[in-house]
Amino acid sequence: MERRFRCTGCGKCCQGRLPLSVPDALAHADRFPLFVLWAPVRPGGRSYDLTRQLGVTLDLKKKKQAALRVAILSYVPSGMKCPALQDDGLCAVHDAKPLRCRAMPLSGARAEDDQDDLLLPRAGWECDVGEDAPVVYRDKTVVARGDYEAEREQLIKDAAILRPFATMMLQAAPQIRMDVEKMASRPMGGHVITDTAHLIQHLAGVDAFHFAAKQLPVMEAFAARTAGVAELAKEHKRYADSAAHWRRVLGG
Amino acid sequence: MAANPCPCNSGKTFEDCCAPLLGGQARAQTAEALMRARFTAHVREDFDFVAATHAAAEKDSYNKSAAEAQAKTLTWTRLEILETEAGGPDDAAGTVTFAAHFTQNGQSMVHREKSEFVREDGEWVYVDGEINPRSAPVRVDKVGRNDPCPCGSGKKYKKCCGA
Ligand code: SF4
Ligand code: SF4
Ligand SMILES: [Zn+2]
């Protein structure tokens, strides 16, 4: 089985949430509203073992387990365009494009034999999957390997920071543990989102005040953009709370 | 209550308690004394002292600016030492279990931790701690089934979280 794919750069997939590597998140902290995603993955899926390796293993009731993916997210409401997407449809950070975007449509966060569904363009996307597009995936093996492997390598590096962070938070913050476990045992799944206030303490060498100064205007802009929209009330609160936190850090 | 009570709630004055440790004129004789001094250092925002009293292996991972940033968002109010194991003048290691009370966003909160201390070149240093439940307050948002799931099928959107 072969899958062909060429990105035409239509920008249609540049919306909603975007998981970022730690260096990408820090490099673009002045642009993306950053939060932390906690996404449990149940056993059985092809990417289960990989998720355990990159994240942490949760012990659930009745001796069950789940893998927990922990990632930094550019948290943009579904359907709202990426803050780096320009009006001309081009990416404003093209030369420093996040690894996640470079690896599209493949995902380094998923097992190599678990990429099939990613290669089917979603409705409205203008990806070229025709005869002329190059073969990127054959018999469950990635053919165009560069960006896929680069993303995977970075995820492995990030795990050295995110795993101890997640372990500490699960121990110290029972709300997170309870909510994550609840999501892990729900048949329809779900995930949990927290702010980056605690994560920053695990990023040795990152200046928390510079980070705050970058995130504050981004959070304020997203709070303004989501203000008064009933369906986005939850998102709005998230941005406003985060802005308030960084404002306090900056002594405002 | 003493005239200038030590922030660590020892009942002594600051001058007779943590000040000489923070000022470098004296060394902590016990793990508890260092624990108290590190709390007082947090209260006084003396993060150089906090950094300097980490075990060598932990020093690189301490983010001083993050500690300073966090200090802007909360006020430490009180320290309670709950339990100590070893950590005396003749010991090489010890643990101190404590509750550090603080207020944040107008709410009273507690950070409970069992900290591990060892001696390095004769001086007590902090290694790390096991943080107990009901301490770090975190804002949590649950995202239910109607939101596209980043981990299951991944079918609802793009650059979703895969897995
Ligand atoms: S960073 Fe650029 S490529 Fe990535 S989603 Fe945003 S606009 Fe698209
Ligand atoms: S929708 Fe497809 S073609 Fe358009 S930018 Fe995304 S990956 Fe490229
Ligand atoms: Zn004292």
Side-chain angles (χ1 to χ4, degrees), chain A residues 29-63:
Chain A
D30 55 352
R31 201 177 283 273
F32 298 130
L34 301 174
F35 290 85
V36 179
L37 168 85
W38 307 73
V41 175
R42 270 166 297 179
R46 288 180 194 269
S47 293
Y48 181 72
D49 288 336
L50 177 66
T51 310
R52 277 182 14 152
Q53 187 196 327
L54 298 175
V56 294
T57 303
L58 287 173
D59 287 310
L60 305 174
K61 289 191 194 105
K62 298 183 190 148
K63 297 202 174 139

Side-chain angles (χ1 to χ4, degrees), chain A residues 44-244:
Chain A
R46 288 180 194 269
S47 293
Y48 181 72
D49 288 336
L50 177 66
T51 310
R52 277 182 14 152
Q53 187 196 327
L54 298 175
V56 294
T57 303
L58 287 173
D59 287 310
L60 305 174
K61 289 191 194 105
K62 298 183 190 148
K63 297 202 174 139
K64 285 190 182 151
Q65 288 192 323
L68 180 64
R69 171 147 197 229
V70 183
I72 307 181
L73 213 54
S74 164
Y75 186 84
V76 173
S78 187
M80 194 179 276
K81 70 182 186 127
C82 172
L85 186 65
Q86 298 173 349
D87 291 340
D88 60 6
L90 298 178
C91 173
V93 295
H94 186 79
D95 294 334
K97 204 184 261 193
L99 282 170
R100 178 77 286 272
C101 308
R102 291 176 195 273
M104 271 297 282
L106 300 165
S107 171
R110 287 175 49 161
E112 181 157 1
D113 62 358
D114 189 21
Q115 305 278 329
D116 262 314
D117 62 318
L118 298 171
L119 290 153
L120 303 171
R122 316 275 162 83
W125 291 10
E126 293 168 24
C127 326
D128 178 5
V129 293
E131 292 283 283
D132 297 338
V135 172
V136 295
Y137 195 56
R138 181 183 291 125
D139 298 331
K140 302 227 173 276
T141 302
V142 173
V143 176
R145 303 196 64 84
D147 292 332
Y148 168 76
E149 282 179 0
E151 188 184 18
R152 171 67 59 81
E153 270 168 39
Q154 188 57 50
L155 288 169
I156 292 168
K157 283 186 200 152
D158 286 356
I161 295 167
L162 296 174
R163 292 184 68 163
F165 161 71
T167 305
M168 190 281 280
M169 291 301 278
L170 290 171
Q171 182 186 80
Q175 305 101 297
I176 294 191
R177 174 175 284 282
M178 275 161 39
D179 287 340
V180 165
E181 287 176 356
K182 199 179 292 169
M183 290 301 173
S185 24
R186 283 160 51 131
M188 67 292 267
H191 50 276
V192 167
I193 289 174
T194 61
D195 63 32
T196 55
H198 290 266
L199 175 65
I200 200 78
Q201 297 180 19
H202 288 254
L203 303 176
V206 172
D207 187 306
F209 294 94
H210 289 174
F211 185 80
K214 287 178 180 172
Q215 283 284 279
L216 175 57
V218 177
M219 294 298 174
E220 282 174 335
F222 273 87
R225 205 173 293 173
T226 50
V229 184
E231 313 86 80
L232 298 179
K234 205 169 164 182
E235 281 81 357
H236 175 72
K237 184 170 186 323
R238 206 172 273 160
Y239 300 128
D241 285 348
S242 184

Side-chain angles (χ1 to χ4, degrees), chain B:
Chain B
M1 183 50 89
N4 180 18
C6 192
C8 81
N9 303 101
S10 58
K12 299 184 208 163
T13 61
F14 175 55
E15 289 70 25
D16 289 338
C17 186
C18 292
L21 301 184
L22 265 56
Q25 298 93 339
R27 302 289 174 206
Q29 298 300 302
T30 63
E32 179 181 335
L34 180 61
M35 170 65 236
R36 289 183 173 279
R38 285 172 53 90
F39 177 80
T40 299
H42 276 94
V43 173
R44 300 175 64 89
E45 301 191 18
D46 181 352
F47 296 106
D48 285 328
F49 181 84
V50 177
T53 52
H54 272 105
E58 308 294 324
K59 268 194 182 121
D60 287 349
S61 62
Y62 180 66
N63 187 335
K64 188 179 137 190
S65 76
E68 285 167 350
Q70 188 196 43
K72 307 281 179 224
T73 69
L74 54 79
T75 308
W76 296 103
T77 51
R78 192 161 58 87
L79 174 69
E80 268 180 281
I81 302 288
L82 302 171
E83 201 185 337
T84 60
E85 286 167 48
D90 303 321
D91 294 315
T95 65
V96 179
T97 307
F98 66 92
H101 298 257
F102 62 100
T103 57
Q104 192 170 33
N105 297 335
Q107 271 183 288
S108 297
M109 293 189 276
V110 195
H111 170 101
R112 287 177 220 274
E113 182 178 326
K114 183 176 183 178
S115 296
E116 204 182 306
F117 295 85
V118 294
R119 281 190 198 267
E120 264 174 20
D121 302 326
E123 310 276 350
W124 284 110
V125 288
Y126 171 76
V127 182
D128 61 6
E130 194 181 297
I131 302 166
N132 269 347
R134 270 175 267 294
S135 51
V138 196
R139 248 190 311 277
V140 181
D141 273 311
K142 278 170 286 192
V143 180
R145 72 186 133 162
N146 293 329
D147 279 46
C149 175
C151 55
S153 63
K155 283 190 176 116
K156 276 193 182 167
Y157 46 84
K158 170 194 177 179
K159 292 177 173 177
C160 212
C161 307

